[in-house]
Amino acid sequence: MRELTEIRSLLDRLEEVEADALETQDLDFKEWPAEPRQAIKLAVDIAICMANGGGGSVVLGVRDRVVGRAKAILGVPPETEIHQLKRDIYERTAPKLTPDIHELHVLEGTGRLLVMQVHGGLSPYTNTAGAGTVRKGNACVPLTGDLREKLMVERGDADFTAAIVPEPAQSLISAAAMERLRDQARQEQAPTDLLRKSDLDLLGAIGVLRDGQLTRAGLLIAGQAEAIGRHLPNFGWTHERMKSATAYDNRVDGRDENALALPLALAAIEARINADNPISTIEHGLYHFEYRAYPTIALREALLNALTHLDLRLASPVLVKQYPRRLEITNPGGLVGGITSANILHHPPLARNLQLVQALARLRLVNRSNLGIGRMFEAMLVEGKEPPLIIDEESAVRVVFKRQETARPFREFIAEEGKTGRTLDVDHLLVLRYLLSHPEIDTSTAAELCQRRDAEMRDILDEMVQIFDYLERGGAGRGSWWRMKPALHRRLEGLGHAERDQRIDWDVAKTRVLNMLKQRARRGEPGLTNAGIREVTAYDRQQVNRLIHELEAEGVRMQGHGRGSCYTYIGRTDNEQG
């Protein structure tokens, strides 16, 4: 849900963009119809749409496809009574919806907007005639039969993996799969007393054995390949070593390897990947540390996600394509429950195959608190590498890793910070890595990068200034920006003073200073002093003098004398333009 203060801030952005550009999965803007019955229908329809999409906020009274607050904010008539509107929505929805509705006072239009906070929950929701929509991205799409079934799966009413396999459990179990399962769970510090249990007792303890019979989840975890092939014919995996985008020189299928049970599949795929996943050694003091191009933790999290969150009703395998410079892991079935590639880092956890996920969570092989994606990101970022790219292709999810070498200065920095008790989380790591290749970052860019709200992101950035001492802040209010301290930037790049004295590239600095001087001249304000430009660029006095000398050709001149002097944009003369 969006706070009213955040919505007020977003309304200010209507001076620059249309309302449509601000809409997201959990935020919509709607113009209020003049005809009362149409207005009620709109409120009911958008409440159903947002609830089916996981919940969100709707700002009623804002017109789309226009720029400017005065044009966009038309408002809601004063006679529209909040209590009555809530009752209308309640009476016209099934299951019953009771959104929170708040009044937001504005200067434009009727002087009031309504902010409707819709909670997700017992989807699928429809109107009393049985029709409904669901939020996908920033649009409402019809709630078709397929989407209704998908919502029921997300709610746990149709867990495909919870069904019983109608054969004696003992005849289905693979001893090799059980031993591999114990090994993998032991690596994750699963409870020792759990792992010491007999096969059937262990499967019963993790919830996949019912009245002496395995569920499909249990079959996937511990079943013989032949039994999985009979009862779960759509399940499988394929690893292809690609020569190009259209050709491979080596291919293996899980069925051919008799490695379909999840513990065996995971081990087999990891071995295939690691055959071309080189190790680099970094010396740090008396120790030698080894790092793979694709970190083990990131690989395991991605593979377990693919093997447990796949849609077993689709006749498509988990597909691993290993190119010379990247790795792609694809599983059938798109993201569920309003999760998108733009919010997956912090979205509450949802599972398509709930019993399977719960069983593996008891063995600590997967995480029910949505920490798996964060661990995947962190494993890449702490080595100075780009995080994986997560792509929702509607009927499949694809995770892409770039093959990268470990950045020794960055890895050493993380290790040394850890020794001092400083633990950097994914937000900090994402910001630092961004600032290694960009001059600065603003709040909205950082919020999008870290999948946070603007208010949350400002707190994180300020923490990196005031507590961690990694960043410097410039500007004020909505115009604030942050940059990495030059000394830290040199350290993370592994460069000495002789190689690079500051972080901002010369051309970037020139462009930034020139644009600032032009804007100040346009507003009739004085220019910037040498000290002011040093603050903007992190350059020293002599470097600023050299920069200004080059900007003289663009119409920048010094005005005044002594401490009162400043550099001002006066424009280029006819001779200079010629």
Side-chain angles (χ1 to χ4, degrees):
M1 301 293 176
R2 303 300 181 98
E3 300 290 339
L4 294 185
T5 53
E6 182 180 358
I7 290 173
R8 285 189 182 279
S9 177
L10 289 171
L11 291 176
D12 289 338
R13 296 185 61 189
L14 294 174
E15 294 290 1
E16 307 159 1
V17 298
E18 300 175 359
D20 182 64
L22 304 176
E23 294 177 349
T24 62
Q25 173 74 26
D26 68 340
L27 177 66
D28 201 358
F29 293 87
K30 290 295 181 186
E31 181 178 352
W32 190 256
E35 207 280 313
R37 281 182 296 182
Q38 288 298 318
I40 294 171
K41 182 179 184 304
L42 168 74
V44 171
D45 289 347
I46 191 61
I48 290 170
C49 173
M50 297 302 282
N52 284 332
S57 305
V58 183
V59 184
L60 300 168
V62 178
R63 173 183 288 176
D64 197 2
R65 296 189 175 87
V66 294
V67 177
R69 282 183 60 116
K71 295 180 180 178
I73 300 177
L74 304 182
V76 176
E79 60 267 22
T80 301
E81 204 269 324
I82 290 177
H83 180 73
Q84 182 60 47
L85 182 59
K86 291 175 68 173
R87 182 163 28 176
D88 289 334
I89 294 172
Y90 180 86
E91 293 174 349
R92 289 167 171 78
T93 54
K96 300 301 183 184
L97 275 171
T98 54
D100 296 322
I101 302 177
H102 305 278
E103 192 171 69
L104 187 65
H105 295 285
V106 291
L107 297 177
E108 299 83 2
T110 64
R112 71 191 292 247
L113 300 174
L114 296 182
V115 179
M116 182 164 63
Q117 307 283 27
V118 184
H119 302 277
L122 300 176
S123 58
Y125 292 92
T126 67
N127 59 27
T128 50
T133 58
V134 58
R135 188 75 169 175
K136 298 198 75 175
N138 62 350
C140 293
V141 300
L143 191 59
T144 61
D146 287 346
L147 285 176
R148 287 173 189 263
E149 184 178 9
K150 183 177 179 182
L151 288 172
M152 292 178 68
V153 167
E154 294 165 0
R155 195 174 69 183
D157 291 345
D159 183 357
F160 186 81
T161 63
I164 292 291
V165 178
E167 290 187 32
Q170 195 67 59
S171 67
L172 300 172
I173 294 174
S174 162
M178 288 301 302
E179 291 311 309
R180 179 66 75 174
L181 180 70
R182 288 185 174 91
D183 287 343
Q184 292 167 348
R186 195 173 292 112
Q187 292 173 24
E188 299 298 330
Q189 283 77 52
T192 302
D193 59 340
L194 180 64
L195 302 182
R196 286 175 178 168
K197 292 179 181 291
S198 68
D199 290 351
L200 288 177
D201 286 344
L202 173 56
L203 293 171
I206 63 174
V208 295
L209 193 66
R210 192 185 309 158
D211 297 327
Q213 291 183 301
L214 284 178
T215 62
R216 287 171 175 158
L219 185 64
L220 275 170
I221 290 172
Q224 299 171 12
E226 179 272 334
I228 293 174
R230 283 189 292 111
H231 293 285
L232 297 169
N234 290 337
F235 177 73
W237 61 266
T238 299
H239 177 277
E240 295 175 341
R241 208 172 299 285
M242 307 298 293
K243 294 191 301 184
S244 66
T246 57
Y248 60 84
D249 57 16
N250 188 273
R251 172 190 170 105
V252 165
D253 292 315
R255 294 183 186 277
D256 297 336
E257 298 289 296
N258 287 321
L260 288 183
L262 293 190
L264 300 178
L266 178 63
I269 299 171
E270 283 184 327
R272 292 274 301 172
I273 293 172
N274 286 335
D276 186 24
N277 186 15
I279 297 174
S280 59
T281 302
I282 294 179
E283 296 182 24
H284 187 62
L286 300 176
Y287 301 96
H288 292 70
F289 298 97
E290 294 183 341
Y291 300 97
R292 289 190 178 274
Y294 304 116
T296 299
I297 292 176
L299 274 186
R300 178 157 293 193
E301 292 292 346
L303 290 171
L304 280 169
N305 275 344
L307 291 166
T308 57
H309 294 295
L310 77 172
D311 189 338
L312 289 160
R313 300 165 301 173
L314 300 179
S316 178
V318 171
L319 181 59
V320 180
K321 289 187 174 184
Q322 193 162 356
Y323 295 86
R325 300 304 306 168
R326 73 181 187 277
L327 177 72
E328 297 185 357
I329 301 171
T330 304
N331 65 266
L335 296 171
V336 298
I339 299 176
T340 70
S341 56
N343 67 17
I344 194 168
L345 267 173
H346 307 294
H347 197 285
L350 290 168
R352 174 182 281 110
N353 304 311
L354 183 59
Q355 187 177 104
L356 177 61
V357 171
Q358 288 176 337
L360 293 175
R362 292 187 178 104
L363 292 165
R364 300 188 181 176
L365 292 175
V366 300
N367 191 283
R368 289 289 292 135
S369 301
N370 196 30
L371 300 179
I373 298 297
R375 289 183 71 193
M376 192 192 311
F377 272 58
E378 182 182 57
M380 300 291 289
L381 289 164
V382 295
E383 296 183 13
K385 299 172 180 176
E386 289 184 31
L389 180 64
I390 299 176
I391 304 168
D392 185 5
E393 297 177 325
E394 298 291 338
S395 61
V397 177
R398 181 158 51 102
V399 179
V400 182
F401 293 95
K402 290 176 64 176
R403 182 165 172 167
Q404 304 161 77
E405 296 298 323
T406 300
R408 175 174 177 169
F410 201 97
R411 191 65 190 89
E412 289 181 343
F413 165 75
I414 298 299
E416 290 170 9
E417 290 295 277
K419 290 177 182 177
T420 67
R422 284 185 172 180
T423 301
L424 278 70
D425 60 27
V426 171
D427 297 311
H428 303 133
L429 294 168
L430 284 168
V431 170
L432 288 178
R433 199 188 186 289
Y434 180 92
L435 288 173
L436 274 174
S437 54
H438 296 81
E440 61 193 42
I441 194 168
D442 57 32
T443 304
S444 60
T445 301
E448 181 179 358
L449 179 70
C450 298
Q451 301 181 10
R452 295 282 191 185
R453 300 278 175 81
D454 281 7
E456 293 178 304
M457 201 65 236
R458 278 192 294 271
D459 290 341
I460 292 168
L461 290 167
D462 283 339
E463 176 188 48
M464 295 180 75
V465 173
Q466 299 169 13
I467 299 176
F468 289 89
D469 198 31
Y470 296 156
L471 308 183
E472 298 172 334
R473 179 173 180 168
R478 292 178 56 202
S480 295
W481 48 268
W482 289 260
R483 66 183 178 206
M484 195 187 303
K485 286 200 166 184
L488 176 58
H489 195 277
R490 289 193 298 271
R491 179 181 178 186
L492 295 185
E493 279 197 332
L495 300 178
H497 287 267
E499 293 168 284
R500 186 170 183 178
D501 284 328
Q502 27 48 41
R503 187 181 55 80
I504 300 179
D505 291 336
W506 190 256
D507 288 340
V508 173
K510 285 176 60 177
T511 300
R512 177 172 179 78
V513 171
L514 181 60
N515 287 340
M516 292 178 71
L517 293 176
K518 285 182 176 180
Q519 291 170 11
R520 295 186 68 80
R522 192 175 300 120
R523 295 192 297 265
E525 297 173 343
L528 295 173
T529 64
N530 188 292
I533 296 175
R534 293 203 304 272
E535 182 181 351
V536 169
T537 61
Y539 287 170
D540 60 31
R541 182 178 296 276
Q542 294 303 318
Q543 289 169 325
V544 169
N545 289 339
R546 181 161 61 89
L547 183 143
I548 292 297
H549 178 73
E550 294 186 16
L551 287 178
E552 287 178 354
E554 303 295 330
V556 174
R557 296 289 185 273
M558 185 175 74
Q559 293 186 336
H561 300 282
R563 292 186 176 182
S565 65
C566 63
Y567 300 103
T568 305
Y569 177 75
I570 62 172
R572 299 172 66 182
T573 65
D574 292 339
N575 290 337
E576 289 172 329
Q577 293 173 358

